[in-house]
Amino acid sequence: VGCDRSKNLVDICGEKNFQAFVCDALSVPIRSGSCDACISIAVIHHFSTAERRLATIRELARLLRPGGMALIYVWAMEQEYKNQKSKYLKEKNGSKDKEEEISTGVAQTPLSDQMPDSSKDSACSDQLLNDSKDKGCDAEPVADSRLPVHTNRTSFHSQDLLVPWHLKGGPKKKGESADTVLFPAGSKESQELSPVFHRYYHVFCEGELEAACRSLDCVRVQKSYYDQGNWCVVLEKL
């Protein structure tokens, strides 16, 4: 069973005969302890405070039966790790200058690209940030309400930022082909024909996701690892 905040994505699932519904990750309408496994891919990095990010992990744990497992992926601050560039950085000069895109109002991007409202964080947030700084994360805190806009296919310079998504064509009209032209960001064609949408991301420093998970008494961290520009955790419900 799948769920997403985007009705368009859920409608696509329905067209393919998959079971899916619209909901909010902070309040999933599924009975507690009823799931053998849960997967959260590229969701938690869109929440704007440490408290809300932690609440989504707690909600994920609530759904699991004792012994159930969860897999979480979030976008990493470190797009170059152990002297290896992530697929996200490598694709900067790849074929046709692939960019994040939105097609007919639906976000579409490879897993490695996903794995990215500003408000004040409390002591919990500060503690997680301090933990990540202790591990050598080179993040710059945002001093005011203005968030930096990220340049696609480059390293991150702030943990809280806006990532440009480029519309791939417009809404498809009846009888039209689904194929549309995708122009590189910043090109003349892109500026004239491809509207840009800015999407909030909190990119995670090394250890930050794991520290948030370990702060919950109801789960055990089974595994924590880096995968192509994403920080990943496998949890077990106690």
Side-chain angles (χ1 to χ4, degrees):
V1 177
C3 57
D4 199 280
R5 189 65 185 263
S6 166
K7 182 181 182 297
N8 285 358
L9 284 175
V10 170
D11 287 345
I12 291 171
C13 291
E15 291 167 6
K16 296 178 181 293
N17 295 318
F18 295 132
Q19 297 184 72
F21 58 90
V22 176
C23 82
D24 190 310
L26 288 168
S27 182
V28 181
I30 293 179
R31 180 166 47 86
S32 298
S34 61
C35 298
D36 295 309
C38 294
I39 300 174
S40 174
I41 304 293
V43 173
I44 295 174
H45 56 215
H46 289 300
F47 286 93
S48 62
T49 66
E51 291 80 11
R52 288 167 67 81
R53 293 189 286 272
L54 183 62
T56 62
I57 300 171
R58 185 181 291 111
E59 180 69 353
L60 200 65
R62 180 189 67 79
L63 303 176
L64 293 171
R65 64 165 176 77
M69 307 290 284
L71 172 65
I72 301 172
Y73 264 64
V74 294
W75 216 353
M77 176 83 176
E78 301 85 353
Q79 289 298 305
E80 188 166 343
Y81 187 68
K82 295 184 177 178
N83 297 319
Q84 294 287 324
K85 288 186 177 180
S86 68
K87 185 179 178 183
Y88 175 71
L89 293 184
K90 287 179 180 178
E91 286 182 351
K92 181 177 182 181
N93 298 315
S95 61
K96 299 183 181 178
D97 284 331
K98 290 200 299 180
E99 296 288 347
E100 289 80 358
E101 63 198 42
I102 298 179
S103 179
T104 322
V106 179
Q108 294 183 333
T109 182
L111 173 62
S112 60
D113 295 356
Q114 298 181 30
M115 311 297 164
D117 48 330
S118 176
S119 41
K120 207 181 289 181
D121 286 346
S122 71
C124 174
S125 169
D126 294 336
Q127 182 59 49
L128 289 174
L129 184 58
N130 290 335
D131 290 345
S132 63
K133 283 181 178 177
D134 291 342
K135 291 181 177 292
C137 182
D138 194 23
E140 297 177 5
V142 178
D144 55 30
S145 61
R146 292 172 297 177
L147 291 172
V149 177
H150 175 62
T151 301
N152 288 329
R153 307 296 173 185
T154 65
S155 298
F156 296 114
H157 301 291
S158 172
Q159 277 194 275
D160 296 280
L161 42 82
L162 298 175
V163 175
W165 284 59
H166 302 265
L167 186 70
K168 185 180 179 182
K172 187 176 67 173
K173 295 180 181 178
K174 189 175 182 179
E176 283 186 343
S177 168
D179 296 331
T180 51
V181 179
L182 175 61
F183 296 107
S187 69
K188 183 179 178 181
E189 294 87 352
S190 174
Q191 292 170 2
E192 291 177 354
L193 302 174
S194 185
V196 177
F197 297 86
H198 293 94
R199 195 177 188 190
Y200 171 83
Y201 283 79
H202 171 86
V203 290
F204 281 68
C205 287
E206 181 174 9
E208 184 178 355
L209 176 61
E210 184 177 353
C213 293
R214 290 190 185 281
S215 71
L216 299 178
D217 295 333
C218 58
V219 295
R220 177 190 296 118
V221 175
Q222 292 283 46
K223 188 178 181 182
S224 179
Y225 59 99
Y226 180 89
D227 179 25
Q228 284 294 341
N230 300 281
W231 287 115
C232 320
V233 165
V234 177
L235 301 176
E236 179 185 6
K237 178 70 171 291
L238 299 176

